[in-house]
Amino acid sequence: MTIKFSTKADPIKPTVVALFEKDQADKALHGKTLHDFINTSIKHKTFNQEASKVCSTHRVEKTRIQKILLTGFGKEKDWSEKNARDMAAGIIKAAKGMEASDIHIILPHQSLGELQALTEGLILGNYDPALHKTGKDQEKKDKNKIKTITLITNRWGKDHKAMVEKGQHIAMMVNYTRNLVNAPPNMLDIDAFVAEAKSIAKENKYTFTDIDKKKLEKMKMGGILAVNQGSTHPAHMLILEHKGADEDPIVLIGKGIIFDSGGVNLKPSGSMHEMHLDMAGAATVLGIFQLLKKLNIKRHVIGITPVTDNAIDAKSYRPSEVITTYSGKTVEIKNTDAEGRMILCDALHYASTDLKPQYIIDMATLTGACMVALGYRNAGLFGNNEELIKKIEQSAKNTDEPLCHLPITDVDEKAMKGKVADLANLSNTHNYAGSSRAAAFLKNFVNDSKWAHIDLAGPAFTKDPKPYEVSMGSGYGVRLIIDFLENL
Ligand code: BES
Ligand code: MN
Ligand code: ZN
């Protein structure tokens, strides 16, 4: 989708007109024909300027007006970046029904941030996860495809255009992340994921390190190797580095389970087919790395993605095994479905001991318990550093990617001690507070690094979609972390 800029309407083109409540059309901006039509519609109350109301499509007799969609933005004093993003998605969805590939949108004045958010909403709202249709279904989709959007407003300065461009970059890479999360595990297997990371590194000239299975064995990364035992594809720990500043690195770690069958503790079949989502953390890290260079982010950022399947096989790791992790700490396996923490523990220890990090932030679809607690909109946020938590909470507010700070208590930490080994991968008391207990387990591997853990099991694969989402991979976390890095 290309975005163009203009300061004048063209009533022959399929056009969306957006106005705040109580505003009237403007002759200079809307042109005479459209101006009269809009103001008549307002007068006769066929144009309702309340927020999110998409009012009418018309072919107006005796004028050049072809297809017009009138939409309200509500009260100007309530307008915000969030509203701009949300309502832009509404516009694009309504515009799809116009069967037009080239759409004009006439906007009331927007601030720079609102312009960025609005652009994000248009591109995110246009996302379609059905990438594998053929024949008639595909043809129908092609017919409704919007190829060009012309944004029309009073004035286009350099700054305004730059913000639209920025919103475009960000949204395209959120959509990229959604595609990775939504990809079927046969189409995006371990090897394909490695190739994807490698190509991002090459394109953006990032340093790329692939710790493949042989190297994992040499380094004694026992956690990820245990989880990988049942898989037909060997595991990888991938490392991307963007050296945008001379400083200690901010390390981003993403859980990359290509498919989580549960392993020997096999998951029930009801929703197992969704478990290709379990690499959403790693996909988010790749989405962020797609943007660091494009947005010229002057920070030193290292991304780590441990990648494997959690498969069931005669060679799979079993409950009751004791695994020696990269840290040297031993872990009793009480449930092979608690595999995320077993691959993250090696990545966290690597980050905290080999990299001298400024901060570590890991992102993982780690626990169903986090969804039980918070649902699909909020991620769980855990950590050991108040200042880092505050910064992430601020970015969550800025980007409307919400999260809730949850505790790691002494009781949680005690519950993760092993009977015969240092730790257990499942609580030794009961199964409540599952997301705090998982976080308490991870805490053993960060040493004294400033660390935050984002459990995005709910929002990364949503069933409560926002206006600019569909019920599937959301790309949650990309906008959040980009905002965090920009405001650091
Ligand atoms: N990948 C799952 C968590 C998950 C569940 C993410 C549903 C998204 C949707 C994780 O590996 C897992 O299986 N966690 C277990 C942990 C338990 C065995 C301690 C869970 O949540 O049940
Ligand atoms: Mn699991
Ligand atoms: Zn998992």
Side-chain angles (χ1 to χ4, degrees), residues 193 197 209 211 216 221 224 236-241 250-256 281-286 289 301-307 343-344 346-352 354-355 357 360-363:
F193 191 95
T209 312
I211 307 180
L216 291 170
M221 292 217 178
I224 181 170
H236 293 257
M237 183 89 70
L238 305 173
I239 304 169
L240 294 101
E241 181 170 13
I250 299 124
V251 182
L252 306 174
I253 299 176
K255 173 180 172 182
T284 304
V285 170
L286 292 196
F289 269 79
V301 189
I302 297 181
I304 307 181
T305 64
V307 189
I343 72 171
L344 290 172
D346 286 350
L348 287 168
H349 184 75
Y350 179 84
S352 64
D354 295 50
L355 297 179
I360 301 175
I361 302 174
D362 80 72
M363 290 174 282

Side-chain angles (χ1 to χ4, degrees), residues 18-299:
L19 278 187
F20 290 121
E21 267 179 46
K22 306 226 161 75
D23 279 2
Q24 298 268 314
D26 167 6
K27 265 199 190 124
L29 177 65
H30 297 97
K32 168 105 179 61
T33 335
L34 214 47
H35 165 274
D36 293 350
F37 171 68
I38 294 166
N39 284 354
T40 311
S41 304
I42 291 173
K43 197 168 136 204
H44 294 294
K45 301 203 167 18
T46 49
F47 183 3
N48 182 339
Q49 290 154 284
E50 277 171 34
S52 298
K53 284 264 158 64
V54 177
C55 296
S56 45
T57 58
H58 283 271
R59 190 177 180 293
V60 184
E61 298 292 325
K62 292 186 200 137
T63 71
R64 296 158 68 229
I65 298 174
Q66 291 289 330
K67 290 179 174 178
I68 303 290
L69 212 139
L70 303 172
T71 181
F73 271 0
K75 294 188 175 64
E76 187 167 7
K77 69 169 176 49
D78 296 337
W79 196 239
S80 63
E81 292 179 14
K82 177 188 179 318
N83 283 347
R85 197 179 296 107
D86 286 351
M87 285 186 221
I91 288 180
I92 208 75
K93 279 178 189 162
K96 270 188 183 177
M98 288 168 122
E99 287 193 5
S101 65
D102 181 2
I103 284 178
H104 288 203
I105 304 174
I106 311 175
L107 297 165
H109 174 77
Q110 304 289 306
S111 74
L112 292 177
E114 287 156 2
L115 213 46
Q116 180 193 327
L118 190 135
T119 309
E120 288 171 4
L122 291 173
I123 293 168
L124 295 173
N126 196 36
Y127 178 76
D128 178 1
L131 299 179
H132 312 290
K133 302 268 188 199
T134 64
K136 282 239 152 50
D137 288 346
Q138 180 57 33
E139 279 167 32
K140 197 172 147 205
K141 277 174 25 145
D142 285 345
K143 215 171 106 193
N144 282 327
K145 209 172 212 160
I146 296 168
K147 296 204 183 77
T148 316
I149 290 178
T150 307
L151 295 178
I152 304 167
T153 190
N154 280 327
R155 195 174 69 84
W156 283 109
K158 224 166 118 195
D159 289 356
H160 299 94
K161 287 188 182 174
M163 288 316 265
V164 170
E165 227 159 76
K166 182 178 176 191
Q168 221 173 337
H169 281 314
I170 291 175
M172 279 167 65
M173 290 315 165
V174 172
N175 284 346
Y176 164 85
T177 305
R178 293 170 169 183
N179 278 342
L180 293 183
V181 175
N182 292 336
N186 59 329
M187 293 187 172
L188 188 77
D189 61 15
I190 297 175
D191 297 342
F193 191 95
V194 173
E196 197 61 43
K198 202 183 256 174
S199 89
I200 292 173
K202 195 170 165 208
E203 225 165 83
N204 294 283
K205 300 197 174 65
Y206 301 137
T207 312
F208 182 70
T209 312
D210 176 6
I211 307 180
D212 61 13
K213 191 174 169 189
K214 265 210 186 104
K215 290 179 195 142
L216 291 170
E217 281 165 351
K218 229 192 210 147
M219 293 170 82
K220 301 204 171 77
M221 292 217 178
I224 181 170
L225 285 167
V227 176
N228 184 241
Q229 269 172 212
S231 172
T232 47
H233 293 71
H236 293 257
M237 183 89 70
L238 305 173
I239 304 169
L240 294 101
E241 181 170 13
H242 165 68
K243 201 139 199 250
D246 195 11
E247 59 177 355
D248 290 338
I250 299 124
V251 182
L252 306 174
I253 299 176
K255 173 180 172 182
I257 296 288
I258 294 292
F259 186 80
D260 183 8
S261 70
V264 171
N265 291 98
L266 194 63
K267 282 186 182 296
S269 45
S271 60
M272 196 204 278
H273 64 277
E274 290 177 346
M275 280 305 134
H276 63 87
L277 67 81
D278 216 15
M279 34 63 81
T284 304
V285 170
L286 292 196
I288 292 162
F289 269 79
Q290 286 276 28
L291 288 165
L292 296 176
K293 200 54 150 282
K294 281 190 189 74
L295 302 181
N296 192 21
I297 290 180
K298 292 192 168 50
R299 313 267 14 161

